[in-house]
């Protein structure tokens, strides 16, 4: 059995950043396991610019950004295995993989989970209608266009308004396709305001909010879709149906963190994020196993993934050097107005710096307050002009606040529309 200090499962941006940080922190034998034929993950098919503005201080395409990290992996002589699938993981940190070499086992002192996420397919949303050709996830279409050089269609409807949906609306318009509509079930777009402007408004692409696809027409190939307006319970409203002629339907209806391996070792999973619960060190509920990137929750920007993954890598290295992430923990709870919050725990004994809390709101808030409660006592309230579900929000808690309120057991963060 091969042994390593730290094994990172996943060779996308999260896994690469975690490996680099672990090596630079002093871990000797570090291994990255990647199931695809090259490192870089989804970045390899994101040929638009805009990556690296915060971390590298220069706007890059996805492949250029990924290559910066791949070059660093090689410079630090970090081991990696490509075309290698992890099929099992246990609490003794023994990883079973399958590759061209057959089935082998790897023993680790610490593990970092960086498996990313996957798109929800049509079967996960139960759209009625025929099983005609021409239905793709937005990510699959992105790979066809940017990597394989094939257009999936010419007359396109997109269901969903996340970042990748809007990027593909722009990309396929540039390639000559007609985007008939971007249809969103919710009354607001699930993307940043800048992305809406850059990808939709600049290209005159219609965005239909509070609408969904209720039927797909066509036998061998899609010929059109029927959309309808929905009420506050997301139920289609009779009499609002519209037919849109198209030959392609792209689905961008949500991403799911890949946590089959996490469940194998009984890591506690948050029902809101569908990812592991972690503390401020990115340490999961299983001793010595850390997690970072989209396996935790779906991030808006890769720069946020990188910063978080550096933290996971550094702490995994400290773990194998003797540091333990046990002891008293404050639970961090998503209160009114929040869909979820990261981290879910804070180990006050391990806090040697300020802590960045990330959260997503469940609706649009204007001129509101982010309030922090220790048990039932409000200790902080910060005003914000606008919070939207399409952008992750953050709040920095200074280290001294934990010292002043050390007797409490939980932290609750909520949105209040008037200061109480």
């Amino acid at each position: 059995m091969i042994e390593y200090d730290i094994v990172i499962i996943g060779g996308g941006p999260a896994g690469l950043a975690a490996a680099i940080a672990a090596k630079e922190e002093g871990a000797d034998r570090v291994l990255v396991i990647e199931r695809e034929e090259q490192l870089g993950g989804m970045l390899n098919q994101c040929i638009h610019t805009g990556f690296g503005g915060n971390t590298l201080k220069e706007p890059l395409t996805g492949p250029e950004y990924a290559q910066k990290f791949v070059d660093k992996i090689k410079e630090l002589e970090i081991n990696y295995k490509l075309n290698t699938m992890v099929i099992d993981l246990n609490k003794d940190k023994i990883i079973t993989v399958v590759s061209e070499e057959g089935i082998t086992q790897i023993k680790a002192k610490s593990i970092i989970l960086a498996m990313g996420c996957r798109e929800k397919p049509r079967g996960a949303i139960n759209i009625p209608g025929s099983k005609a050709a021409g239905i793709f996830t937005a990510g699959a279409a992105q790979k066809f266009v940017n990597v394989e050089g094939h257009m999936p269609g010419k007359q396109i409807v997109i269901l969903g308004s996340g970042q990748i949906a809007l990027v593909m609306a722009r990309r396929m318009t540039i390639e000559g396709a007609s985007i008939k509509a971007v249809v969103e079930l919710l009354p607001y777009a699930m993307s940043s305001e800048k992305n809406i402007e850059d990808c939709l408004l600049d290209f005159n692409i219609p965005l239909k909010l509070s609408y969904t696809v209720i039927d797909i027409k066509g036998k061998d190939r899609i010929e059109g879709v029927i959309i309808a307006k929905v009420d506050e319970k997301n139920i289609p409203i009779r009499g609002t149906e519209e037919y849109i002629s198209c030959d392609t339907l792209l689905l961008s209806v949500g991403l799911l963190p890949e946590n089959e391996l996490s469940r194998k070792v009984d890591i506690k999973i948050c029902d809101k994020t569908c990812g592991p619960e972690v503390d401020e060190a990115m340490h999961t509920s299983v001793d010595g196993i850390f997690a970072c990137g989209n396996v935790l929750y779906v991030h808006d920007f890769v720069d946020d993934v990188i910063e978080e993954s550096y933290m996971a890598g550094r702490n995994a290295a400290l773990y194998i050097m003797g540091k333990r992430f046990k002891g008293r923990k404050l639970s961090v709870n998503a209160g009114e107005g929040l869909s979820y919050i990261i981290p879910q725990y804070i180990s006050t004994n391990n806090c040697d710096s300020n802590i960045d809390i990330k959260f997503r709101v469940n609706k649009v808030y204007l001129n509101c307050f982010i309030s922090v409660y220790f048990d039932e006592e409000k200790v902080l309230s910060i005003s914000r002009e606008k919070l939207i579900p399409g952008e992750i929000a953050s709040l920095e808690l200074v280290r001294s606040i934990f010292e002043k309120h050390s007797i409490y057991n939980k932290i609750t963060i909520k949105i209040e529309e008037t200061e109480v």
Side-chain angles (χ1 to χ4, degrees), residues 248-263:
T248 304
L249 173 64
L250 297 191
L251 304 178
S252 183
V253 291
L255 299 166
L256 290 174
E258 295 246 27
N259 276 294
E260 289 76 13
L261 291 175
S262 306
R263 293 183 176 91

Side-chain angles (χ1 to χ4, degrees), residues 42-233:
M42 287 292 292
L43 287 176
N44 291 317
Q45 64 187 53
C46 298
I47 65 172
H48 54 283
T49 59
F51 299 93
N54 293 332
T55 54
L56 300 180
K57 307 304 180 186
E58 57 178 323
L60 302 170
T61 65
E64 289 172 330
Y65 189 70
Q67 192 60 46
K68 296 284 187 180
F69 291 90
V70 174
D71 290 344
K72 191 67 175 179
I73 289 285
K74 294 178 179 178
E75 177 189 328
L76 294 173
E77 298 182 345
I78 295 173
N79 294 313
Y80 57 89
K81 290 180 177 290
L82 302 177
N83 296 311
T84 302
M85 173 71 76
V86 176
I87 59 174
D88 196 23
L89 174 65
N90 64 36
K91 289 185 178 181
D92 294 326
K93 303 182 186 66
I94 296 175
I95 304 162
T96 304
V97 304
V98 61
S99 66
E100 293 179 351
E101 300 172 356
I103 297 177
T104 57
Q105 289 189 320
I106 299 167
K107 172 70 174 175
K109 296 178 182 177
S110 179
I111 294 172
I112 302 175
L113 305 175
M115 294 88 70
C117 59
R118 64 175 181 269
E119 293 180 284
K120 289 182 181 178
R122 177 184 177 181
I125 54 175
N126 297 320
I127 299 177
S130 68
K131 295 182 179 179
I135 303 172
F136 305 88
T137 64
Q142 185 181 55
K143 185 173 183 179
F144 281 135
V145 176
N146 294 346
V147 179
E148 306 295 338
H150 300 294
M151 285 287 286
K154 297 180 180 178
Q155 305 289 320
I156 299 166
V157 171
I158 300 177
L159 178 59
S161 63
Q163 305 281 28
I164 189 172
L166 271 56
V167 165
M168 284 310 296
R170 176 181 63 187
R171 179 77 176 104
M172 298 183 76
T173 299
I174 292 172
E175 290 296 329
S178 172
I179 308 301
K180 309 297 282 292
V182 173
V183 180
E184 172 55 57
L185 178 71
L186 299 172
Y188 45 79
M190 287 301 295
S191 189
S192 68
E193 293 181 322
K194 184 178 187 306
N195 217 26
I196 294 170
E197 182 176 349
D198 292 347
C199 298
L200 298 186
L201 299 182
D202 287 356
F203 291 86
N204 296 314
I205 297 172
L207 172 63
K208 298 183 75 69
L209 300 175
S210 296
Y211 274 82
T212 192
V213 174
I214 62 170
D215 199 5
I216 297 172
K217 299 297 183 181
K219 186 176 181 181
D220 296 324
R221 176 86 189 194
I222 288 182
E223 297 174 0
V225 297
I226 296 177
I227 67 171
K229 195 170 182 62
V230 298
D231 61 20
E232 64 276 1
K233 295 181 179 179

